[in-house]
Amino acid sequence: LDRDDFLAVVSQMALYINCLGGWNLHLFPWDAADTLRQQRLTV
């Protein structure tokens, strides 16, 4: 691999990682914390 090929691969990998971050922000069910929260028992 020469330098141009390496930069092309790294830039595509960076774009993919940024897309994963964006998908996480948009698609993750952020209201899941309400259903996963532990319920306290009142005695």
Side-chain angles (χ1 to χ4, degrees), residues 2-43:
D2 61 352
R3 186 174 191 272
D4 292 334
D5 290 338
F6 177 74
L7 289 177
V9 169
V10 169
S11 67
Q12 289 298 310
M13 187 175 65
L15 176 64
Y16 177 68
I17 290 171
N18 285 331
C19 285
L20 285 179
W23 294 330
N24 180 39
L25 289 175
H26 288 287
L27 299 177
F28 185 79
W30 291 108
D31 56 345
D34 295 334
T35 58
L36 296 176
R37 194 169 284 136
Q38 236 181 7
Q39 307 239 341
R40 293 189 180 165
L41 296 174
T42 56
V43 180

